[in-house]
Amino acid sequence: MLGPPGAGKGTQAKRLAERLGVPHISTGDILRGAAAAGTRLGKEAQRFMDDGGLVPDTVMIGLVEERLGQADAGRGFILDGFPRTVGQAQALDALLVKSGRPLDAVVQIAVARDELVRRLAGRRVCGDCGTLVQVAVAQGPNGRCESCGGPLLQRDDDRVETVGKRMEVYERETAPLVGHYRAEGLLREIHGTGSRDEVFDRITGKLQ
Ligand code: AMP
């Protein structure tokens, strides 16, 4: 699942994984989990994440290789947030060829930049159940999760100061992957505007 920060990759990847009965593998979630647990990986990654930069390729490739080797990924998987650089894409290709299960498709979710900035400013995550919600910016940082009543929090890297850097990093490091996967005939381009259901229907329609 490819797309800039705020395009809706996480939401759509989670739903697609549920529909297909395969794991949703979000490298951002894995890194945030490691950071919350205070592991060495987590501490190392936190510095890059807080700053809106990328965790080095060698760390990410090792992490994904290990995750894809777990039993639940044997029947397939949805990758969300990986690969993010040409180096990661090449390593992933090699890894999947080695294990005899190449990618079936790369879904790119496209959203205009001013819409992305607006969405990220209003994005909150439930501190208890992890549900992502959109709040009106005027509403401020407080509020409760509709699913479980947990506290709604803003990710540190969704703060306005960091969002611009994440966009630049996306354009420079990750956007070139669009051409890479188009050339391989794997790219499925989706407009990410509209409701979550509309976007999901577009994705499943392109994966027939
Ligand atoms: P995400 O939740 O996908 O937006 O990821 C949050 C942050 O985790 C990113 O801004 C990066 O700092 C880091 N991260 C996640 N995935 C990767 C990756 N594939 N390569 C490098 N850094 C990553």
Side-chain angles (χ1 to χ4, degrees), residues 2 23 41 60 84 121 130 145 147 174-175 185 188 190 203 207:
L2 202 61
L41 165 72
M60 295 310 302
R84 254 179 159 100
C145 172
S147 311
T174 311
R188 309 280 183 275
I190 311 283
I203 292 175
L207 292 178

Side-chain angles (χ1 to χ4, degrees), residues 104-187:
D104 292 313
V106 175
V107 174
Q108 185 216 356
I109 309 184
V111 176
R113 191 182 164 121
D114 51 352
E115 167 72 7
L116 293 172
V117 172
R118 196 190 59 75
R119 284 189 193 180
L120 290 171
R123 178 159 79 175
R124 299 291 182 271
V125 55
C126 172
D128 288 344
C129 74
T131 297
L132 287 172
V133 297
Q134 230 12 77
V135 298
V137 180
Q139 213 173 298
N142 300 318
R144 307 304 293 184
C145 172
E146 282 188 8
S147 311
C148 77
L152 293 182
L153 311 171
Q154 186 175 40
R155 272 171 49 174
D156 282 342
D157 60 350
D158 280 348
R159 292 181 205 284
V160 178
E161 315 84 84
T162 318
V163 164
K165 164 114 187 250
R166 289 169 66 205
M167 297 288 179
E168 277 166 33
V169 169
Y170 177 81
E171 286 304 326
R172 194 178 62 237
E173 304 283 351
T174 311
L177 299 188
V178 171
H180 174 87
Y181 287 121
R182 186 180 285 125
E184 291 187 5
L186 292 175
L187 197 71

Side-chain angles (χ1 to χ4, degrees), residues 53-65:
L54 293 182
V55 176
D57 279 0
T58 45
V59 176
M60 295 310 302
I61 292 163
L63 187 151
V64 167
E65 182 166 12

Side-chain angles (χ1 to χ4, degrees), residues 27-29 31-32 48-49 53-55 60 81-84 88 155 157 166:
T27 46
D29 283 352
L31 294 174
R32 279 185 290 278
F48 298 100
M49 295 165 80
L54 293 182
V55 176
M60 295 310 302
F82 185 94
R84 254 179 159 100
Q88 291 179 14
R155 272 171 49 174
D157 60 350
R166 289 169 66 205

